[in-house]
């Protein structure tokens, strides 16, 4: 079955960087765009960015441009999200999710990864 | 950026009664391809979100028919005809006509 499995929880000090992985299985990795969404404690969902696993092209929400980097490794069907210079406000659950339709057309998300808690604390 | 505004932000419903959530976008979600890219998700407690409705009014695979979506342009509605205990959680609308934006979420509880 189609599955996205994320790496485990992270604890980081302010100013450090954090890299979260999302391993895809059950489908052709390069056919579906992958997105990252975060949810701060007690808050709603916030879209962060998108990556095309085929060519590696990315786009980011204005708020995150210059702070996050999305990359992929086609040999392992894995997408990575790196947040640089984290601060306390970056404490959140980070989700990867996939377009439910192939080819990058505007669309919704299914399935979702299980989420990765990133805690930023001194 | 397109801003998505949901109302109400919380809802307490008696089982078996209907519920309705509104979502308004700051710009039309009608794409040049003729489709309207408005989606609804439910995030149950402790779980990842799940897709309920795509392109305004289409139920995703496995979604019960008590859920329905309607609307056009900038105004959209999610309706639950008869709320069940398993429907508790936070409902989000999302647009995908210009990157992606979520609404603030509507928390649905059972009375």
């Amino acid at each position: 079955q189609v599955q996205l499995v994320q790496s485990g929880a992270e604890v980081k000090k302010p100013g450090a960087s954090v890299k979260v992985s999302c391993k895809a299985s059950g489908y052709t990795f390069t056919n579906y765009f992958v997105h990252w969404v975060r949810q701060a404690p007690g808050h709603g969902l916030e879209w962060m960015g998108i990556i095309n696993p085929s060519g590696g092209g990315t786009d980011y929400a204005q708020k995150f441009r210059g702070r996050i980097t999305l990359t992929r490794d086609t040999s392992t069907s894995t997408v990575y999200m790196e947040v640089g210079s984290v601060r306390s406000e970056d404490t959140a659950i980070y989700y990867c999710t996939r377009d439910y339709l192939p080819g990058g057309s505007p669309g919704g998300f299914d399935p979702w990864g299980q989420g990765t808690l990133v805690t930023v604390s001194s | 950026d397109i801003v998505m505004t949901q109302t109400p932000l919380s809802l307490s419903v008696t089982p078996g009664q209907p519920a309705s959530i509104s979502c308004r976008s700051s710009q039309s979600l009608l794409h040049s391809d003729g489709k309207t890219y408005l989606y609804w998700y439910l995030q149950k407690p402790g779980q990842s979100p799940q897709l309920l409705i795509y392109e305004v009014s289409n139920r995703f695979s496995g979604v019960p028919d008590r859920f329905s979506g309607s609307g056009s342009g900038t105004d959209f509605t999610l309706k639950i005809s008869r709320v069940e205990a398993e429907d508790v959680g936070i409902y989000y609308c999302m647009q995908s006509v210009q990157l992606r934006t979520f609404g603030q979420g509507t928390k649905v509880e059972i009375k």
Side-chain angles (χ1 to χ4, degrees), chain A residues 35 37 39 43-47 50 59-62 65 95 99-101 105-110 112-115, chain B residues 1 31 33 35 37 39 41 43 47-51 54-55 60 90 92 94 96-97 99-105:
Chain A
H35 303 252
V37 175
Q39 186 170 37
H43 286 73
L45 303 175
E46 185 173 31
W47 182 81
I50 179 175
D59 204 352
Y60 304 103
Q62 182 66 40
R65 284 178 189 154
Y95 294 99
D99 279 343
Y100 76 94
L101 291 174
S105 59
F109 304 147
D110 182 78
W112 293 64
Q114 83 276 22
Chain B
D1 290 7
H31 194 271
D33 64 7
K35 296 181 180 179
Y37 290 106
Y39 299 80
Y41 297 87
Q43 186 175 31
Q47 295 186 18
S48 301
Q50 58 189 84
L51 180 61
Y54 66 95
E55 295 171 19
F60 195 61
I90 304 176
Y92 295 92
M94 185 195 82
S96 65
V97 73
L99 296 180
R100 306 289 191 275
T101 318
F102 289 96
Q104 318 97 299

Side-chain angles (χ1 to χ4, degrees), chain B residues 68-83:
Chain B
S68 65
S70 63
S72 64
T74 60
D75 288 286
F76 305 93
T77 302
L78 175 71
K79 291 183 179 176
I80 311 173
S81 59
R82 295 172 304 278
V83 172

